[in-house]
Amino acid sequence: MRHQQLLSPYYLFFLALSLFAERTSAQNPIIRDQFTADPTARVFNGRIYLYPSHDIPVAEGARKDWFCMADYHVFSSDNLTDWTDHGVIVSQEDVPWGNPSGYAMWAPDCVEKDGKYYFYFPNAPKSGRGFAIGVATSDLPDGPFRLESKPIVGTSGIDPSVLIDDDGSAYIYWSGMGIRGAKLKNNMMELDGELQEVKMPRREGMPEMPPMKVGGQQMEGLPEGFKEGPFAFKRAGRYYLTFPWVREEGGTETLAYAMSDSPLGPWTFKGLIMAEHANRCWTNHHSLVEFRGQWYLFYHHNDFSPNDDKRRSVCIDKVTFNADGTIQEVKPTLRGVGIISATSRIEVDRYSAASEGVTTALNDTVYPFLGLHASLPKKGSWMTFGDVDFSMITDGYVMLCVKADENTELTLREKSAKGKVIARAKVTVKSEITRPGMPTPFRRDQSGQWLTLTVPLDYTPKGIADLVVTCEGTAVSVDWVQLRNRQQYFTPVAKNTASAKPDEHGFIRRWQLMEPQKQDIRSNVIFTDSWLRKTFADELDKLPKKAKWYAMESPTYNMKLFRFAEKYGSQAYGNLFWCETVFDCTEDISDVRLAAGSNGASMWWIDGQEVLLLEGDRRMVVDDGVSHRLTLKKGRHTLRCAVINGPGLSDMCVRFIDEQGKPITNFNIQ
Ligand code: FUB
């Protein structure tokens, strides 16, 4: 930790959050565990890389109410939905020519030329005022980057952007007394052409500054008004110079653009790419990039810091070009871009569309990265979250994080507020609970608290669909929604499947399980050895001839019989399970013991002979009971067990062990 301010509890909280959130996901803003601003997105080797600047809370000694930026991270994504943070690539303490506590690492850029990556960044110099532009190079887009010892001579200013033309010539643009542009030399680190002496404007109350040597030229043809953050690119043979622009006195920044037939202009002003932020967040800063045939606008907004527009977050929306090359104005969305898996946490407050009256708010105003939630004010209110991929949901359920003041109901639907119901959730915040033995019912009141509900799916959309949340009762707030597949406790074993081995610890995981036999047992205290022997003998006599058997394999060492009962029986509790497995020994195995555990009581037979009885109300424990010494003769054997339980969840595990307690694994299970 190099910055004192990083040790504040505020920052440590974010750090902890980021350790658990190496990957972030789609929806605007796209990075949700730290502030990110001034995004430059580039496609390198088919992957999208994001080079933003990194806003942090104002550090000790740094200018109050101002930008505070001490380092740069790089992020990358393969689908615009899941972003990986590759960590810090350049830090202010490491810049040889920079002020180690300048906190002025503003908008950067990164380009690739001849297999080398050039990272351009503005920074406060060690001495003197203003900014200079530095370079760091790397063999990979995510670093490590080697810093040059000096900034680029003649580029005093901020917000560098580099365009590499089709013939390999490179041009750099930056903001400093207007927007300037210059050709770069082949080494990508020096301006081509003469420097000019420019008289520095005198700041009130400051001593006069000596004239400065500045390279390049003013970009001609741009509109009047404050401009910064140039981003240049080429598309279909035309050059675009795009820039944040304050179009009127007292206004805030729009994103605007001009076009030209040559990289350094003159430019023809074309208009806006994005209008001012509705909440008057003063800055905007951007880049445009084509990824897999679609153009995207990366920009920033202060979503996670509504009362401070110097802590910003990167967003993405789609861009459309008209046939004449002009750009259609982009309306910022909450939803952003990219397809999101139904199994991710879907922050539905980032909706694509919503009915009137739906509002969003931060979950916690002190820790903004705890995200936002949306509130549906009344029956019939809805919000749509577009492009959810349901294709991986096979046998699922949905979890919803909700809050309400009164008992209410909501539905998840496909496509529209009247669409097919995916799931229906009752939100019970106030209820009377009667407990046996308690004289009066007590009241549970969870109004105003976040609850995580789990409800089964009534229907699963096919492929990619829009998810709609509708309020079916009184007001309800929703933080997130997430679908899950049920854990697979058993895999059915198809006929003619090759034989299996016990697992490395000797546990036998493949069994024939008879459909559970319901038992009316109120208490397990009756599981004495005589009761068990008699019951199992009687039950065996009256086994239904047509009882169904299921060949099952367990992914875990124990057979979770209650899960089997949930699916194939009439009740999860109060069952007798008959289980059988057939195994082949290729040689005699002597001095082995059967070691088993069950929840509750169980009895074990090999080739019809009783070998072990676990009486009483047992908990399943590995090797809870062991048989006497056995010899497993070469050839085929049948191992059978009966597990019985009253008011409890049954499971069992079994293996053979040798004299030292080591597992026996040299037999084949049919
Ligand atoms: O992020 C600091 C500065 O704010 C950028 O360099 C400008 O473009 C503006 O976004």
Side-chain angles (χ1 to χ4, degrees), residues 22 35 51 191 204 270 298 308 536:
E22 189 213 328
F35 295 113
Y51 300 87
L191 301 189
E204 226 183 281
K270 293 290 177 184
F298 283 68
D308 170 5
F536 292 146

Side-chain angles (χ1 to χ4, degrees), residues 104-241:
M105 311 206 88
W106 289 14
D109 190 7
C110 186
V111 293
E112 183 264 335
K113 191 166 185 239
D114 302 329
K116 204 163 162 178
Y117 296 86
Y118 296 84
F119 180 72
Y120 298 88
F121 61 98
N123 188 23
K126 260 206 173 86
S127 59
R129 61 177 222 228
F131 283 84
I133 291 171
V135 196
T137 57
S138 170
D139 299 327
L140 294 169
D142 55 342
F145 280 91
R146 295 170 293 273
L147 282 148
E148 290 301 305
S149 59
K150 295 218 159 48
I152 303 177
V153 176
T155 59
S156 130
I158 57 169
D159 301 350
S161 162
V162 171
L163 177 149
I164 301 183
D165 210 343
D166 304 334
D167 64 358
S169 310
Y171 300 87
I172 185 165
Y173 308 81
W174 71 96
S175 156
M177 294 179 291
I179 292 182
R180 297 187 75 85
K183 192 163 194 274
L184 277 170
K185 285 188 182 165
N186 243 346
N187 64 12
M188 303 289 281
M189 299 187 187
E190 283 175 279
L191 301 189
D192 208 15
E194 296 296 307
L195 302 186
Q196 304 140 37
E197 275 212 345
V198 176
K199 196 165 174 332
M200 295 298 288
R202 186 168 182 183
R203 272 216 231 145
E204 226 183 281
M206 302 289 276
E208 184 150 351
M209 295 279 291
M212 263 192 356
K213 295 225 171 218
V214 180
Q217 62 196 76
Q218 275 290 346
M219 294 296 93
E220 299 298 335
L222 308 184
E224 289 295 310
F226 180 80
K227 296 173 286 297
E228 59 176 348
F231 179 80
F233 65 96
K234 191 175 183 183
R235 179 183 175 273
R238 320 275 294 275
Y239 297 88
Y240 292 76
L241 181 61

